[in-house]
Amino acid sequence: MAPTRPYYADKGLSAAFYDTVTAADARLAGDLDIYLRLVPEGGTVLELGVGTGRLAFAMAEQGLYVVGVDIAPAMLAQAAVRQAEVHPEVARRVELKRGDMTAIELKRAFDLVICPYFTLAHMPRGMAWKNTFATAARHLKSGGLAAFHLPLPEIMRLPGPAEPDQPVLDQPAPSGGRLRLYVRERAFRGDVGRLDQVIEYIELDARGEVLRRSAERLTYYHTDPVPLAASAGLTLERQPIPLGGVGEIYVFIKA
Ligand SMILES: C[S@@+](CC[C@H](N)C(=O)[O-])C[C@H]1O[C@@H](n2cnc3c(N)ncnc32)[C@H](O)[C@@H]1O
């Protein structure tokens, strides 16, 4: 196996195939509708970790105004392509920015802040989580909501792959070949609440020859978000909303 790179790195395949993989992931089905229900019609949304704009442009299609921040140029580049392809009215309602969600300062307040698909869990628990909650709080109007989608700890604790050579995903690739994903390594360390995985992406051409491959390290951290959010002035607004059997969306309110 090739040396591992971080997830969403330039030239990595997790960024290149992000849309292919998320479109095939039934565990995300319904997340858009959950976020839409948290924001008033025509309202404003800040998305922390906007990625390729999977949700941002879908929200803009519904008439919302979205600012999307991401740290990874490879993901933002794809969001920019999407922006050039959608209807100009929709494109106009989305602003993309490069930045770190633990520290950004936009000097604007939104109706809703979202941090979807385990984005907060990419960060070490502790200061990085606290700082991200502080970012959410200072970009919210009074009474505004912040939604954080986090993985379930019991899923993170599942043992490593019994068959690392069996693909966990085998999908048609946009090139006409196939994309296969393998979980080569998976280990959870309970003392630090950290799941380390090595996911290998292999792109095959139509004849089954390997075109590209990339092994990438995907790390998630777990801790109770409620006290860390409270340190930023965010209180749990309702019971976490289950999503796809692997995660739940915590909704906080700014007083
Ligand atoms: C799982 S993707 C989610 C993308 C999108 N929100 C979605 O739901 O499809 C996580 C994204 O968070 C971004 N990210 C990770 N750490 C970040 C940070 N500190 N600041 C901003 N973005 C970050 C990654 O680059 C990646 O694009």
Side-chain angles (χ1 to χ4, degrees):
M1 198 174 56
T4 56
R5 18 161 104 83
Y7 240 65
Y8 311 125
D10 287 348
K11 302 197 178 111
L13 296 187
S14 60
F17 285 111
Y18 184 81
D19 289 336
T20 305
V21 172
T22 48
D25 191 346
R27 299 167 305 180
L28 284 177
D31 65 345
L32 172 65
D33 291 338
I34 293 172
Y35 300 125
L36 288 175
R37 282 198 290 273
L38 301 177
V39 61
E41 218 172 287
T44 54
V45 182
L46 171 62
E47 183 172 355
L48 302 177
V50 68
T52 63
R54 175 182 75 90
L55 291 165
F57 289 96
M59 295 184 104
E61 266 173 34
Q62 301 297 317
L64 299 170
Y65 292 81
V66 185
V67 175
V69 174
D70 206 285
I71 204 163
M75 298 295 271
L76 283 172
Q78 292 185 73
V81 169
R82 195 174 231 143
Q83 190 157 33
E85 288 171 355
V86 297
H87 191 284
E89 273 302 299
V90 174
R92 196 176 58 76
R93 288 198 281 269
V94 177
E95 222 179 298
L96 300 167
K97 288 186 181 295
R98 175 134 194 251
D100 182 342
M101 65 186 185
T102 63
I104 46 150
E105 178 49 83
L106 303 176
K107 302 206 182 310
R108 283 165 69 180
F110 297 80
D111 295 306
L112 174 68
V113 174
I114 61 172
C115 190
Y117 197 9
F118 305 166
T119 297
L120 181 66
H122 289 313
M123 318 280 300
R125 61 191 195 173
M127 267 331 274
W129 283 45
K130 270 191 181 183
N131 290 340
T132 305
F133 285 123
T135 295
R138 74 174 170 272
H139 289 93
L140 272 179
K141 294 178 184 170
S142 174
L145 300 177
F148 286 79
H149 181 198
L150 293 170
L152 290 172
E154 56 269 34
I155 299 291
M156 291 173 68
R157 281 192 203 101
L158 291 175
E163 295 180 277
D165 295 328
Q166 282 300 313
V168 290
L169 181 136
D170 184 353
Q171 271 291 115
S175 60
R178 296 201 76 78
L179 174 69
R180 292 197 180 133
L181 260 65
Y182 300 82
V183 179
R184 300 297 194 191
E185 293 170 23
R186 181 187 164 98
F188 183 72
R189 272 188 57 190
D191 55 339
V192 286
R194 177 170 138 175
L195 170 65
D196 275 299
Q197 299 176 91
V198 174
I199 316 283
E200 190 169 22
Y201 286 67
I202 300 185
E203 184 186 11
L204 306 168
D205 66 15
R207 291 169 304 145
E209 301 288 333
V210 173
L211 281 176
R212 295 188 282 178
R213 64 197 304 159
S214 172
E216 306 191 12
R217 186 163 296 282
L218 179 61
T219 302
Y220 291 132
Y221 294 84
H222 167 71
T223 193
D224 180 358
V226 175
L228 297 175
S231 73
L234 298 173
T235 339
L236 199 62
E237 192 258 351
R238 63 185 80 190
Q239 283 308 304
I241 305 166
L243 185 69
V246 290
E248 48 194 3
I249 296 177
Y250 283 76
V251 181
F252 299 98
I253 186 163
K254 176 175 167 171

